[in-house]
Amino acid sequence: MCTVTYIPQPQGFVLTSNRDEKAFRETIIPHKYRRDDVILCYPKDAVAGGSWIAMSNKGRVVCLLNGAFVPHTKQAFHTHSRGKVLIDAAGSGLNPDQFLTAEALAHTEPFTLLTIDFDGNEMTSFSELIWDGNDKHNRQLDTRHSYIWSSVTLYSAANRKERKVWFNQFLKESKMHPTASGLLQFHSGKHTNDSTVNVIMMREGELKTVSTTQIIHEGSKLEMSYYDLIKNTNHTIQL
C-alpha cells in the first residue's frame, strides 16, 4: 500500500503495489470473496480485516495508499479501517465519483484510492480519490500514461521525487514498453544504498516491504499475483 505503479498495455494495464508494514503483522493470501452478485479477489489484513488492493469480476481494480497530500497523525476518532473502504469501493456498483460522495469518511484516516474501471479491452475510468481528513478530492487520470505513487506517511516529498526519477529512468530503459516481469524487477530492485527509502524498504522496528502484489489486465484476462517477501512464497489467482 506504499509504492504503486501503473503501466498501460496494448490491451489493458499492469498495476503493481509494494506493501510496507510491520513484518509480524499477519496477512491472509488472496482469496475470492462474494459480496451479493460481485466476486472480489484480494489479500486480507488479518488484524483489521481490510485490504490495500482488490479486483472485481465486474471490471474494477482498486488500490490504496495511506495518506493524502501531507503526513498526518492518527487520532482516537479514526476508528473506520481504510482497508474496508477499499473493499467497499471494489464491490460498489457506483462510479468512483458517486462512491466518494456517498461514503462516510469522518472516522477514517486520510488515504489515496486508485480506481480503474474497464469493459473488456476498453478502459472506462481511472480515478485518484483522496480523503485528506476534511475534504474529498477526485482527480481523473489518463489511462494512456504511466504513474508511480509513494505513500506520504512514509516518504518525504524529496523521497517521492527521487522515486519518480528512478521510475522514469526505468521507463526510458524499457523504451516506454515495460513488461509485467520488468515491473516486478523495478519493484524489487535496488535503486539506492539507503534501505529506508528504497522501493524494497527496511527501517527500524521491523517496518519493511512485506509483499508485492501485481494485477494484470489483458483482454479477457484479469490476474492477481501475490509475492510474500517474508515467507518467500507466491500465489496467483484469476477472475
Side-chain angles (χ1 to χ4, degrees):
M1 67 175 68
C2 299
T3 305
V4 178
T5 61
Y6 165 89
I7 295 287
Q9 298 286 280
Q11 295 186 358
F13 61 87
V14 179
L15 187 76
T16 312
S17 170
N18 278 16
R19 187 188 191 207
D20 301 336
E21 186 54 87
K22 297 287 188 180
F24 52 78
R25 189 171 178 118
E26 184 181 355
T27 302
I28 300 170
I29 65 173
H31 287 282
K32 293 180 182 179
Y33 302 90
R34 181 176 289 277
R35 286 170 62 100
D36 299 323
D37 64 336
V38 181
I39 298 175
L40 302 177
C41 176
Y42 54 87
K44 182 186 290 188
D45 182 276
V47 177
S51 185
W52 60 98
I53 188 167
M55 60 185 189
S56 157
N57 70 328
K58 298 295 185 179
R60 174 168 287 181
V61 166
V62 291
C63 188
L64 179 79
L65 292 98
N66 289 344
F69 302 108
V70 296
H72 66 276
T73 302
K74 182 174 175 61
Q75 303 293 330
F77 64 83
H78 288 146
T79 56
H80 183 53
S81 165
R82 291 169 288 196
K84 290 185 177 178
V85 173
L86 173 135
I87 294 173
D88 289 342
S92 176
L94 300 175
N95 68 43
D97 187 54
Q98 292 170 333
F99 173 81
L100 186 65
T101 300
E103 192 76 358
L105 298 174
H107 297 285
T108 308
E109 283 190 81
F111 63 79
T112 299
L113 186 69
L114 308 173
T115 304
I116 307 170
D117 289 332
F118 50 93
D119 183 4
N121 293 338
E122 182 181 356
M123 304 279 286
T124 57
S125 174
F126 188 6
S127 300
E128 181 188 66
L129 310 179
I130 296 177
W131 164 244
D132 67 11
N134 294 299
D135 298 304
K136 300 172 179 178
H137 310 264
N138 182 357
R139 180 168 73 110
Q140 294 302 302
L141 303 177
D142 191 332
T143 60
R144 300 166 298 177
H145 289 181
S146 299
Y147 297 91
I148 183 171
W149 295 262
S150 299
S151 174
V152 301
T153 59
L154 287 178
Y155 302 100
S156 68
N159 294 156
R160 299 195 301 275
K161 183 177 180 179
E162 184 178 25
R163 285 158 152 250
K164 285 185 178 180
V165 170
W166 301 339
F167 186 57
N168 288 335
Q169 181 62 32
F170 163 73
L171 292 176
K172 182 179 178 180
E173 291 174 354
S174 61
K175 299 181 179 179
M176 305 303 292
H177 296 291
T179 62
S181 59
L183 283 160
L184 285 176
Q185 290 179 10
F186 173 81
H187 275 260
S188 60
K190 185 177 182 181
H191 305 281
T192 173
N193 290 326
D194 186 351
S195 63
T196 67
V197 299
N198 222 328
V199 179
I200 295 288
M201 66 91 85
M202 182 180 299
R203 298 183 185 177
E204 294 181 355
E206 293 193 71
L207 179 62
K208 62 192 303 184
T209 305
V210 297
S211 65
T212 299
T213 308
Q214 185 173 79
I215 293 177
I216 299 174
H217 167 52
E218 184 179 17
S220 61
K221 172 184 173 182
L222 186 59
E223 179 180 276
M224 175 183 287
S225 295
Y226 175 78
Y227 302 88
D228 187 321
L229 305 182
I230 304 299
K231 298 178 181 177
N232 195 30
T233 59
N234 63 79
H235 307 270
T236 298
I237 191 167
Q238 292 187 353
L239 281 180

